[in-house]
Amino acid sequence: MENTLNEQKILKTETVDTVDTSSTVSEIITIPKKRGRKPNPNKKVYFGEDEERAFAEYVNSTDQTFRNKIFAEKLYRPFTKMIESIIRRYNLFTPDESFEETFFDTMSFLITKINNFDTTKNKKAYSYCGTICKNYLILKRTQYSKKNQKQISY
């Protein structure tokens, strides 16, 4: 039998006991190779469980100084990384703005929408914030293109 690139062949041996005799049964099982990159065990997750807890504390708190402290110490860096990654990965640049303007505009919009998060639903704050940022950037992009199409003179 030929080995293909996408399959590994493993020989599995089992012993089967019967009343009279015992025999060995061999069978070939094909398992497809895992595709894609291997996970890096040393890679630090920028929005992990600590950030999830800090986000829940931030949303549930009413003391503004405590909220500012949590945001500055635990949430600013993960939000920065997330927004930068979303803008670059999905190529959601607005042509009439610089990267910094787009970044800070998205960050301020995210901060205004954070309070709408419901911590009792057991949903991830990372996916909530990422969805808000991505949808906002898509909205800005479509508004820019509509505005640009209206201004075209014939």
Side-chain angles (χ1 to χ4, degrees):
M1 294 188 153
E2 291 183 14
N3 257 347
T4 62
L5 294 176
N6 293 332
E7 296 184 277
Q8 286 181 333
K9 297 195 177 185
I10 299 173
L11 185 62
K12 184 178 178 184
T13 305
E14 296 179 4
T15 58
V16 178
D17 293 326
T18 59
V19 179
D20 300 27
T21 61
S22 64
S23 63
T24 304
V25 177
S26 300
E27 58 184 45
I28 296 176
I29 301 174
T30 58
I31 300 174
K33 278 188 177 181
K34 187 174 178 184
R35 299 178 73 184
R37 290 186 183 187
K38 295 179 183 173
N40 186 356
N42 299 329
K43 187 176 181 181
K44 185 177 184 279
V45 178
Y46 67 90
F47 207 99
E49 291 300 319
D50 293 337
E51 288 79 10
E52 291 280 342
R53 283 192 294 275
F55 186 83
E57 288 176 8
Y58 181 87
V59 170
N60 294 330
S61 176
T62 57
D63 182 23
Q64 192 60 38
T65 57
F66 181 67
R67 289 175 68 137
N68 290 341
K69 181 181 176 186
I70 289 175
F71 185 81
E73 291 177 1
K74 296 185 180 182
L75 296 177
Y76 183 74
R77 274 195 266 143
F79 283 162
T80 302
K81 177 76 172 167
M82 178 175 53
I83 293 170
E84 287 176 353
S85 299
I86 289 172
I87 292 171
R88 288 192 173 106
R89 169 173 278 187
Y90 299 109
N91 201 14
L92 294 172
F93 298 100
T94 306
D96 63 340
E97 290 182 352
S98 68
F99 178 81
E100 290 80 19
E101 288 175 318
T102 304
F103 169 78
F104 288 120
D105 191 29
T106 307
M107 179 70 87
S108 65
F109 184 78
L110 176 63
I111 291 170
T112 61
K113 295 296 181 182
I114 283 177
N115 293 328
N116 297 343
F117 183 74
D118 188 8
T119 57
T120 60
K121 291 186 178 180
N122 292 330
K123 301 291 183 187
K124 294 287 185 182
Y126 173 76
S127 62
Y128 175 77
C129 295
T131 303
I132 285 178
C133 293
K134 187 176 173 188
N135 289 340
Y136 177 69
L137 289 166
I138 291 171
L139 175 72
K140 277 185 64 172
R141 187 86 186 250
T142 56
Q143 285 176 346
Y144 173 79
S145 64
K146 285 181 182 179
K147 183 180 88 172
N148 201 18
Q149 287 176 354
K150 286 181 183 178
Q151 292 178 353
I152 295 176
S153 62
Y154 290 99

